[in-house]
Amino acid sequence: MEVGFLGLGIMGKAMAMNLLKNGFKVTVWNRTLAKCEELVEFGATIGDTPAAVVKKCNITVAILSDPSAALSVVFDKDGVLEQIGSGKGYIDMSTVDDDTSSKIHKAVTAKGGSFLEAPVSGSKKPAEDGQLVILAAGDEALYEEAIPAFDVLGKKSFFLGHVGNGAKMKLVVNMIMGSMMNAFSEGLVLAERSGLNPHALLDVLDLGGIANPMFRLKGPTMIQNNYSPAFPLKHQQKDMRLALALGDENAVSMPAAAAANEAFKKARSMELGDLDFSAVHEIVKIHKSSS
Amino acid sequence: MEVGFLGLGIMGKAMAMNLLKNGFKVTVWNRTLAKCEELVEFGATIGDTPAAVVKKCNITVAILSDPSAALSVVFDKDGVLEQIGSGKGYIDMSTVDDDTSSKIHKAVTAKGGSFLEAPVSGSKKPAEDGQLVILAAGDEALYEEAIPAFDVLGKKSFFLGHVGNGAKMKLVVNMIMGSMMNAFSEGLVLAERSGLNPHALLDVLDLGGIANPMFRLKGPTMIQNNYSPAFPLKHQQKDMRLALALGDENAVSMPAAAAANEAFKKARSMELGDLDFSAVHEIVKIHKSSS
Amino acid sequence: MEVGFLGLGIMGKAMAMNLLKNGFKVTVWNRTLAKCEELVEFGATIGDTPAAVVKKCNITVAILSDPSAALSVVFDKDGVLEQIGSGKGYIDMSTVDDDTSSKIHKAVTAKGGSFLEAPVSGSKKPAEDGQLVILAAGDEALYEEAIPAFDVLGKKSFFLGHVGNGAKMKLVVNMIMGSMMNAFSEGLVLAERSGLNPHALLDVLDLGGIANPMFRLKGPTMIQNNYSPAFPLKHQQKDMRLALALGDENAVSMPAAAAANEAFKKARSMELGDLDFSAVHEIVKIHKSSS
Amino acid sequence: MEVGFLGLGIMGKAMAMNLLKNGFKVTVWNRTLAKCEELVEFGATIGDTPAAVVKKCNITVAILSDPSAALSVVFDKDGVLEQIGSGKGYIDMSTVDDDTSSKIHKAVTAKGGSFLEAPVSGSKKPAEDGQLVILAAGDEALYEEAIPAFDVLGKKSFFLGHVGNGAKMKLVVNMIMGSMMNAFSEGLVLAERSGLNPHALLDVLDLGGIANPMFRLKGPTMIQNNYSPAFPLKHQQKDMRLALALGDENAVSMPAAAAANEAFKKARSMELGDLDFSAVHEIVKIHKSSS
């Protein structure tokens, strides 16, 4: 199977490599050429421009760093739009907002192409291990066609309906995650101030019905006040805000998420926004002798 | 090793049986005699009264249904106090409040006995399988002595320091659990009202960093509005209230827990208190067309 | 002093009438002509179009019903822009969003005119009595020039700095008002369920340090479950949302406002959005026997 | 009319003085005698003990500083109980908890006396000016008999039903006040961080529908970070806690009060508990450059 691949950042490189290792023919493009060359050793072909990649491949996957890069690759000169058309599919796996996704969707389908948004859950390690979770939405036939590639890239892929649903699903998951992180921080602080050993709390939690990888992974570093960013707090807060806005549109009252969001905002006001989102722990902890 | 065992309810019977199967000599007592006889088949001896059990055994374990039963077994005529004394240990594994635990603790030690509170996390199934988590606090020497029994009863036991810490640890865990349940309910409702399939949300959650047994177990029944009580909502709300009170004593501000607590209170006002605590989902769901 | 006046809705008509009664020469325009004629009896001149009004008067005041009407009067054919220019001032007293205000501001100043946003606090009665509170922002010289008119229209006018500050001030006030309404509703329900007479609560409140016109006015109708709309709940919730968004921009954490906002959202989900914002009381009241 | 008066603290002295000035015959007692002598100049008689005062007067009023003082005056040797009985009334105007009030109530009525709890709203100045608000509950006949005294002491008195209702009414009022203070603080901080002048906000608020003495009085000092205690924050937080507990008993969900309570708890954790309750403003204000 032949696949075009646009964007070789941390995630993209690992994903393209996986496709190559699993026997896919991959034509890659990246804004800075050097990154492409590393993949040539493993059998990749280089495309000169996004348009050239789309011309050559029936399915092109993109994973760009942000909305403006995602738009630029499609709409700029030598971009995807110049070659997309009937019989060709474009799969954007970037995490972008509704608006961006919708613009690309409209432009691609106006040209006769088919489109899928497919943001992923998981970071560098799962990308390398082919253990991502893929939240696809848009053209179902394209989804079916892409399954062999998704099977290599992820441990599981979902088809969630019309364009926008992939992004919404990510928001819902991240909202639950953000509220859980607040609950967890409150528990850690309550334990410590009540004379319990927070490490014992971690052990007890990990043996019970709410044991989960996040508590297991973040708990020990939070106790050490170590918040090196895996998922920056300001992004978590942005997702809480967007999830609350989605709730507002649909008249869903979410007081727990709202309380968590305000704690993340307090953390931003303390200039913790670039740390890991577990740094909300610092807000729960603030008290006289620590300030 | 010889162990006395007071209280053969659902939990107690399973636990005493485990001890017998693992070669312990067990002398049992229960308010209604019939329950003791079932265990005699498996090698148990019957004690006529709590006092008789304590007289015979150096270590006596109790697991009673509520504070008044826990107090009665100790303080009533023919109770534990009549025979407890130097060289004898009493381990109360009931889930009781601070006050109750503290009264028993003082009475037992005043007679020269040693005392351990050791509430457990886990219900019927883990009790049968010896997979409880034991939160012990009090006399450390007694804890060491009891380890062989704890190893049979639980997958893990903790020694948490002075009397009261076992109960506190349970409160902290249950507080986190209650906040998580609210976050989870909000996510389920947001998904559904935003046009996502809530079953897909469960699948996505279960593949990610916040996957946990509670979401896995309760999610499908919550979607079906099925809340048959494993842990009654009114007890969950009571634990939230006590955890918040513990925070109040120690000047720990916990806005996420407070928001969750108010939702559980709303659920009580809707007469959902006897259902499972996951019924807080009904509160998040309330809207015009459902009422 | 000569003043142009665009928009003769409930508010506009009362305000234009006040200007006339106080000796101002007023040239009025309204989309439907009939409303102008009522004012002619009191000495008003009619302008055929917004452009004609601006041509004739150095200061033109507008109070339109919503952002689209506010934009249309300026940008459409025969609109304000066609005649605005150096030496002419335009004062928009409509309550509109930042964006709308900013568009009008830019267009007017690009033509050389001066601009003031001046939303008001107060409804029909204060408009008739000249008792509005005027929150002006933009061109300070124009503000100074308009003071004689503002003195007639309001009991007090403020100059708040650059364009946008008038709208922000309204949001902050309405946010405090929305949180207070929630606190008040919770108090009324707590009183009633605790066996106190809610009318006695109103009396006690009105004698103390937090006595205020809103409690005095809305309390008795809330107790009767009467919520005929003075300020619709959906507008109050929109202002809470915008105030929280303003806080988000400036990293201000506002947990009380967030909790109040979620209650208003719940009210919207119960289809109470078109009732008075005091209908949030219904959300606090919901319990089993009332449902 | 003859009245006994126990307790000549700041409040008690002002109140007793008012009674004397208005022609009541007053027999006073205070733990430290000196305070009584000041009142003798104005016509007061001194009673040697609480019992002596009760023996002499058919109605005895007490206003003590805290529950232990309120209990001591009744139950200690030479206390109220020794002389109370049929035909004699005891009115406790102290602010105490339910339990204390209930103990005194039971003891007085067991002796055949009649009892009224009558906590007041208002501090030193209103006490001097006879402008207190009196929240009476208990024996209605005694209330009727005491009206001439209440008319002198307060601008208004209420009879609220059975013992306990006076204290509950105070809690409900203070809960609303605490939530309002949070809303007000959030508004002040939002104004300032959004580039508005907080003094202008105070002016705008004071002209509108939510204008109230508390905003007027505390606003200017809060802007100056001046929190000299009129009502200490720790007492406000205690009242929020008790009001939330009253809600818990009656299954009333109060998310706005809960959010406010957590902010007051945060303030306590920052050691602001002895400042005025308006110091919760400091919690809303905390951000990086201020810490």
Side-chain angles (χ1 to χ4, degrees):
Chain A
M1 185 171 173
E2 184 153 13
V3 176
F5 205 101
L6 310 179
L8 298 173
I10 292 170
M11 296 294 285
K13 188 184 154 189
M15 291 159 73
M17 194 72 95
N18 262 342
L19 289 170
L20 287 165
K21 284 184 184 161
N22 283 277
F24 285 76
K25 291 183 186 170
V26 185
T27 302
V28 299
W29 170 89
N30 193 63
R31 194 165 298 271
T32 55
L33 199 67
K35 291 207 171 161
C36 294
E37 279 159 10
E38 292 178 59
L39 292 176
V40 170
E41 294 177 42
F42 295 87
T45 307
I46 298 183
D48 288 339
T49 62
V53 172
V54 171
K55 186 175 182 185
K56 191 168 171 217
C57 308
N58 285 341
I59 293 186
T60 299
V61 168
I63 182 155
L64 288 319
S65 59
D66 58 34
S68 80
L71 289 166
S72 157
V73 139
V74 173
F75 290 94
D76 282 3
K77 184 167 158 21
D78 299 324
V80 168
L81 275 193
E82 295 186 3
Q83 291 293 337
I84 201 82
S86 177
K88 287 191 179 285
Y90 184 64
I91 303 175
D92 193 344
M93 302 184 78
S94 319
T95 291
V96 297
D97 57 293
D98 249 19
D99 242 33
T100 301
S101 198
S102 169
K103 271 182 198 158
I104 297 174
H105 172 222
K106 279 176 190 159
V108 166
T109 52
K111 291 274 187 176
S114 56
F115 177 73
L116 210 54
E117 69 170 3
V120 299
S121 161
S123 51
K124 191 187 174 188
K125 188 73 169 51
E128 289 172 350
D129 300 345
Q131 293 293 304
L132 297 167
V133 176
I134 298 167
L135 307 173
D139 189 293
E140 191 160 9
L142 178 54
Y143 172 74
E144 297 293 344
E145 209 180 336
I147 283 180
F150 288 163
D151 283 351
V152 163
L153 297 172
K155 60 182 168 188
K156 177 92 180 173
S157 71
F158 294 88
F159 181 74
L160 300 169
H162 57 71
V163 172
N165 283 357
K168 280 180 194 170
M169 185 61 87
K170 266 203 88 165
L171 283 184
V172 175
V173 171
N174 283 2
M175 178 190 82
I176 298 174
M177 182 171 76
S179 293
M180 271 174 67
M181 179 50 82
N182 272 271
F184 185 44
S185 295
E186 291 181 3
L188 283 170
V189 176
L190 179 58
E192 195 155 9
R193 299 265 168 85
S194 308
L196 299 173
N197 182 335
H199 291 283
L201 174 60
L202 295 187
D203 290 343
V204 173
L205 285 171
D206 204 37
L207 291 160
I210 56 175
N212 66 84
M214 180 174 82
F215 288 2
R216 203 174 299 130
L217 185 70
K218 306 261 183 197
T221 53
M222 288 164 72
I223 291 174
Q224 293 158 29
N225 308 329
N226 174 349
Y227 311 105
S228 69
F231 183 43
L233 189 142
K234 64 185 174 191
H235 293 166
Q236 170 67 63
Q237 196 261 319
K238 186 196 66 185
D239 284 356
M240 294 300 287
R241 178 203 309 147
L242 293 174
L244 284 162
L246 185 62
D248 203 319
E249 273 172 49
N250 295 286
V252 180
S253 174
M254 302 185 291
N261 185 40
E262 296 308 315
F264 284 121
K265 280 162 68 177
K266 195 67 161 182
R268 272 180 49 217
S269 82
M270 300 297 285
E271 297 186 2
L272 305 173
D274 292 323
L275 298 183
D276 190 64
F277 75 111
S278 54
V280 75
H281 189 223
E282 289 293 305
I283 296 307
V284 185
K285 277 169 58 187
I286 295 175
H287 70 315
K288 184 65 179 188
S289 52
S290 76
S291 72
Chain B
M1 185 171 170
E2 185 153 14
V3 176
F5 205 101
L6 311 179
L8 298 173
I10 292 170
M11 296 294 285
K13 188 183 154 190
M15 291 160 74
M17 194 72 94
N18 262 341
L19 290 170
L20 286 166
K21 285 182 184 162
N22 283 276
F24 285 76
K25 290 184 186 169
V26 186
T27 302
V28 299
W29 170 89
N30 191 64
R31 192 165 299 273
T32 55
L33 199 67
K35 291 205 172 164
C36 295
E37 277 156 13
E38 291 178 59
L39 293 176
V40 169
E41 293 176 42
F42 295 85
T45 307
I46 298 183
D48 289 339
T49 63
V53 172
V54 172
K55 184 174 184 185
K56 189 165 172 221
C57 309
N58 285 342
I59 293 187
T60 300
V61 168
I63 182 155
L64 288 320
S65 59
D66 57 34
S68 81
L71 289 167
S72 156
V73 140
V74 173
F75 291 95
D76 282 3
K77 181 164 161 24
D78 298 323
V80 168
L81 276 193
E82 296 186 2
Q83 290 294 336
I84 202 79
S86 177
K88 287 191 178 284
Y90 184 63
I91 303 176
D92 192 344
M93 302 186 78
S94 320
T95 291
V96 297
D97 57 293
D98 249 20
D99 242 35
T100 301
S101 199
S102 168
K103 271 181 199 159
I104 297 174
H105 172 221
K106 279 178 190 158
V108 166
T109 52
K111 291 273 188 175
S114 55
F115 177 72
L116 210 54
E117 71 171 0
V120 298
S121 163
S123 52
K124 190 187 173 189
K125 187 74 170 51
E128 288 171 351
D129 300 345
Q131 294 292 307
L132 297 168
V133 176
I134 299 167
L135 307 173
D139 188 294
E140 193 162 8
L142 177 55
Y143 173 74
E144 298 292 344
E145 206 179 340
I147 282 180
F150 288 163
D151 282 351
V152 162
L153 296 172
K155 59 182 168 187
K156 177 91 179 174
S157 71
F158 294 88
F159 180 74
L160 300 167
H162 57 71
V163 172
N165 283 356
K168 280 181 193 171
M169 185 61 87
K170 268 205 87 165
L171 282 185
V172 175
V173 170
N174 283 2
M175 179 191 81
I176 297 173
M177 183 171 76
S179 293
M180 272 175 67
M181 179 51 81
N182 272 270
F184 185 45
S185 295
E186 291 182 1
L188 283 169
V189 176
L190 179 58
E192 195 156 10
R193 299 265 168 85
S194 307
L196 299 172
N197 183 335
H199 291 284
L201 174 60
L202 295 187
D203 290 343
V204 173
L205 284 171
D206 204 36
L207 291 160
I210 55 174
N212 66 82
M214 181 175 82
F215 288 3
R216 201 173 301 130
L217 185 72
K218 306 262 184 197
T221 53
M222 287 164 73
I223 291 174
Q224 292 159 28
N225 308 328
N226 174 348
Y227 311 105
S228 69
F231 183 44
L233 189 141
K234 65 186 174 190
H235 293 167
Q236 170 68 63
Q237 196 261 319
K238 187 197 64 184
D239 284 355
M240 294 299 288
R241 178 202 310 147
L242 293 175
L244 284 161
L246 185 61
D248 203 320
E249 272 172 49
N250 295 287
V252 180
S253 175
M254 301 185 293
N261 186 40
E262 296 308 314
F264 284 122
K265 279 161 69 176
K266 195 66 160 183
R268 272 178 50 216
S269 83
M270 300 296 285
E271 297 185 3
L272 305 173
D274 292 323
L275 297 183
D276 189 62
F277 76 110
S278 54
V280 76
H281 189 223
E282 288 295 304
I283 295 308
V284 185
K285 276 170 56 186
I286 294 176
H287 71 314
K288 185 66 180 187
S289 53
S290 76
S291 71
Chain C
M1 185 169 171
E2 185 154 12
V3 176
F5 206 100
L6 311 180
L8 298 172
I10 292 169
M11 296 294 284
K13 187 183 153 188
M15 291 159 73
M17 194 71 94
N18 262 342
L19 290 170
L20 287 165
K21 285 181 185 162
N22 283 276
F24 285 75
K25 290 184 186 168
V26 186
T27 304
V28 299
W29 171 90
N30 192 64
R31 194 164 299 271
T32 55
L33 199 67
K35 291 207 171 161
C36 294
E37 279 158 11
E38 292 177 61
L39 292 175
V40 170
E41 294 176 44
F42 295 87
T45 309
I46 297 184
D48 288 338
T49 62
V53 173
V54 172
K55 186 175 183 184
K56 191 168 170 216
C57 308
N58 285 341
I59 293 186
T60 300
V61 167
I63 183 155
L64 289 319
S65 60
D66 57 34
S68 81
L71 290 167
S72 156
V73 140
V74 173
F75 290 95
D76 283 3
K77 182 164 158 24
D78 299 323
V80 169
L81 276 194
E82 296 186 2
Q83 290 293 336
I84 201 81
S86 177
K88 287 192 178 285
Y90 184 63
I91 303 175
D92 192 345
M93 302 186 78
S94 319
T95 291
V96 297
D97 57 293
D98 248 21
D99 243 33
T100 300
S101 198
S102 168
K103 271 181 198 159
I104 297 173
H105 172 222
K106 280 176 189 160
V108 166
T109 52
K111 292 274 187 176
S114 56
F115 177 73
L116 210 54
E117 71 170 2
V120 300
S121 162
S123 52
K124 191 187 174 188
K125 189 72 170 52
E128 289 171 349
D129 300 345
Q131 293 293 306
L132 298 168
V133 177
I134 298 168
L135 306 173
D139 189 293
E140 192 160 10
L142 178 54
Y143 172 75
E144 298 292 344
E145 207 179 337
I147 282 179
F150 289 163
D151 283 352
V152 163
L153 297 171
K155 60 182 167 187
K156 177 92 179 173
S157 71
F158 293 89
F159 180 74
L160 300 168
H162 57 73
V163 172
N165 282 358
K168 280 180 194 170
M169 185 61 88
K170 265 204 87 165
L171 283 184
V172 175
V173 170
N174 283 1
M175 179 190 83
I176 297 174
M177 181 171 76
S179 293
M180 271 174 68
M181 179 50 82
N182 272 271
F184 184 45
S185 294
E186 291 181 3
L188 282 169
V189 176
L190 180 58
E192 196 156 9
R193 300 264 168 85
S194 308
L196 299 172
N197 183 336
H199 291 284
L201 173 60
L202 295 186
D203 290 342
V204 173
L205 285 171
D206 205 37
L207 290 160
I210 56 175
N212 65 84
M214 180 174 82
F215 289 2
R216 202 174 301 129
L217 186 70
K218 306 262 183 195
T221 53
M222 289 165 70
I223 290 174
Q224 293 159 31
N225 307 329
N226 175 349
Y227 311 105
S228 69
F231 183 42
L233 189 142
K234 63 186 175 191
H235 294 165
Q236 169 67 64
Q237 195 262 318
K238 187 196 65 185
D239 284 355
M240 294 299 287
R241 178 203 309 147
L242 293 174
L244 284 161
L246 185 62
D248 203 318
E249 273 173 49
N250 295 287
V252 180
S253 174
M254 302 185 291
N261 186 40
E262 297 307 314
F264 284 122
K265 280 162 68 178
K266 194 67 161 183
R268 272 179 50 218
S269 83
M270 299 298 284
E271 297 186 1
L272 305 173
D274 293 323
L275 298 183
D276 189 63
F277 76 111
S278 55
V280 76
H281 189 222
E282 289 295 304
I283 296 307
V284 185
K285 276 170 57 186
I286 295 176
H287 71 314
K288 185 66 179 187
S289 52
S290 76
S291 70
Chain D
M1 185 171 170
E2 183 154 14
V3 176
F5 206 100
L6 311 179
L8 298 173
I10 292 170
M11 295 294 284
K13 187 183 156 191
M15 291 160 74
M17 195 72 94
N18 261 342
L19 290 170
L20 287 165
K21 284 182 184 163
N22 283 276
F24 285 75
K25 291 184 186 168
V26 186
T27 303
V28 298
W29 171 90
N30 192 63
R31 193 164 298 272
T32 55
L33 199 67
K35 291 205 171 163
C36 294
E37 278 157 11
E38 291 179 60
L39 293 175
V40 169
E41 294 176 41
F42 296 86
T45 308
I46 298 183
D48 289 339
T49 62
V53 172
V54 172
K55 184 173 185 187
K56 188 165 172 223
C57 308
N58 285 340
I59 293 187
T60 299
V61 168
I63 183 154
L64 289 318
S65 59
D66 58 34
S68 80
L71 289 167
S72 155
V73 139
V74 173
F75 290 95
D76 282 3
K77 181 165 162 21
D78 299 324
V80 168
L81 276 194
E82 295 186 2
Q83 290 294 335
I84 201 80
S86 176
K88 288 193 178 280
Y90 184 63
I91 302 176
D92 192 344
M93 301 186 78
S94 319
T95 292
V96 296
D97 58 293
D98 248 21
D99 242 35
T100 301
S101 198
S102 170
K103 271 182 199 158
I104 297 174
H105 172 221
K106 279 178 190 157
V108 166
T109 52
K111 291 273 188 176
S114 55
F115 177 73
L116 210 54
E117 70 171 0
V120 299
S121 163
S123 51
K124 190 186 174 189
K125 188 74 169 49
E128 288 171 352
D129 300 345
Q131 293 293 306
L132 297 167
V133 177
I134 298 166
L135 307 173
D139 188 293
E140 192 161 9
L142 177 54
Y143 172 75
E144 299 293 343
E145 206 179 340
I147 282 181
F150 289 161
D151 282 351
V152 163
L153 297 171
K155 61 181 166 187
K156 178 91 178 174
S157 71
F158 295 88
F159 180 74
L160 299 168
H162 57 71
V163 171
N165 284 357
K168 280 180 193 171
M169 185 61 88
K170 264 204 90 164
L171 282 185
V172 175
V173 170
N174 283 1
M175 178 190 81
I176 297 174
M177 182 171 76
S179 292
M180 272 175 67
M181 179 50 82
N182 272 270
F184 184 44
S185 295
E186 292 182 2
L188 282 169
V189 176
L190 180 58
E192 196 156 9
R193 300 265 167 85
S194 307
L196 299 172
N197 182 335
H199 291 283
L201 174 60
L202 295 186
D203 289 343
V204 173
L205 284 171
D206 205 37
L207 290 160
I210 54 174
N212 66 82
M214 180 175 82
F215 288 2
R216 201 173 301 131
L217 184 71
K218 306 262 182 195
T221 53
M222 288 164 72
I223 291 174
Q224 293 159 27
N225 308 327
N226 174 348
Y227 311 105
S228 70
F231 183 42
L233 189 142
K234 65 186 175 191
H235 293 166
Q236 170 67 63
Q237 196 261 319
K238 186 196 66 184
D239 284 356
M240 294 299 287
R241 177 202 311 147
L242 293 175
L244 284 161
L246 185 62
D248 203 320
E249 271 171 51
N250 295 287
V252 180
S253 174
M254 301 185 292
N261 186 40
E262 296 308 314
F264 284 121
K265 279 162 68 178
K266 195 67 160 184
R268 272 180 48 218
S269 82
M270 300 297 283
E271 297 185 2
L272 306 172
D274 292 323
L275 297 183
D276 189 63
F277 75 111
S278 55
V280 75
H281 188 223
E282 289 295 304
I283 295 307
V284 185
K285 277 171 56 188
I286 295 176
H287 71 314
K288 185 66 179 188
S289 52
S290 76
S291 72

